[in-house]
Amino acid sequence: MDVRGGYGVVRGLGIVRYGSGTRSAQLWQGEGQVEKYQNKRNCSAVHTSAATLQKWKIGKINHIAIATPDIEKTAALYRDVLGAKVSEKHPQPDHGVYTVFVELGDTKIELLNPLGEKSPIQNFLDKNKSGGMHHICLEVDNIKEAMKDLKSKNIRLLSEEPRIGAHGKPVVFLHPKDCNGTLVELEEV
């Protein structure tokens, strides 16, 4: 590979500034830090993951949330028909929802039903009468750093500060328009 200067993404993983000569590159590490790399055969061997530069890490799927107009009927489907372990219905007044958790190995389904007149779930159900998938929740190890980093990458957050979620842990939602049409919840674990 013969490069004559410029920036690029190597193998879709790292941000690289190519030198003015051939076969040399500098790997951008944020905050003005740069490492020089020489490779006699090919600069494309230089790569890193952007995640290695982050101060937070993403984990597994914690749960998938499904909005339902009849939480008891939906809970009965998972418990009585499919044989899953299903929690009792719990009010979450700070979030305007009732929740029921369906345990499925190392992940869960969260059933959501409106609580109160200003419930965001009621708005969802007004548009989707039968209910449906509402959001996906991903675990992170440091929610404050995740929020700071995502803001810097122009991902809008639906709140300025994390709130305490149904599991008693800090959560924040990411704007679906910035996440390919999916409402994403981050939960610190």
Side-chain angles (χ1 to χ4, degrees):
M1 172 201 249
D2 185 14
V3 290
R4 299 283 179 201
Y7 292 88
V9 177
V10 175
R11 292 188 188 164
L13 297 175
I15 301 170
V16 173
R17 179 175 174 265
Y18 296 107
S20 59
T22 60
R23 298 181 180 89
S24 69
Q26 294 179 323
L27 181 62
W28 177 74
Q29 294 187 317
E31 305 280 330
Q33 300 174 3
V34 173
E35 271 188 53
K36 287 189 176 186
Y37 287 85
Q38 296 284 338
N39 184 320
K40 293 181 181 176
R41 298 191 78 167
N42 192 329
C43 275
S44 67
V46 178
H47 64 85
T48 187
S49 168
T52 62
L53 307 176
Q54 295 177 168
K55 294 181 180 179
W56 62 281
K57 296 207 182 327
I58 194 161
K60 68 180 182 85
I61 294 174
N62 182 282
H63 65 267
I64 296 169
I66 299 174
T68 176
D70 187 339
I71 201 165
E72 286 82 8
K73 181 180 176 183
T74 306
L77 167 72
Y78 285 99
R79 181 185 57 245
D80 302 336
V81 176
L82 299 175
K85 183 177 177 185
V86 177
S87 76
E88 296 296 318
K89 181 169 88 171
H90 296 282
Q92 307 291 334
D94 290 344
H95 298 277
V97 297
Y98 288 102
T99 59
V100 168
F101 282 96
V102 179
E103 293 185 28
L104 301 169
D106 68 347
T107 193
K108 297 174 273 309
I109 294 174
E110 178 184 40
L111 304 178
L112 302 171
N113 190 248
L115 170 64
E117 294 176 13
K118 296 183 180 181
S119 172
I121 299 307
Q122 186 59 59
N123 294 337
F124 182 89
L125 290 172
D126 288 345
K127 297 173 190 166
N128 306 277
K129 300 294 183 201
S130 299
M133 190 179 119
H134 185 261
H135 68 268
I136 184 169
C137 178
L138 304 174
E139 295 180 352
V140 296
D141 65 348
N142 187 328
I143 200 161
K144 291 278 195 177
E145 286 297 329
M147 291 172 70
K148 186 172 139 183
D149 184 47
L150 293 168
K151 276 185 185 179
S152 77
K153 294 174 180 171
N154 296 319
I155 303 294
R156 289 174 284 176
L157 310 175
L158 297 186
S159 62
E160 289 299 315
E161 291 295 323
R163 299 169 65 186
I164 299 303
H167 297 116
K169 298 176 182 175
V171 300
V172 67
F173 285 88
L174 311 180
H175 200 293
K177 288 185 179 177
D178 298 336
C179 298
N180 300 310
T182 302
L183 180 60
V184 176
E185 178 183 21
L186 301 179
E187 178 175 288
E188 186 173 278
V189 294

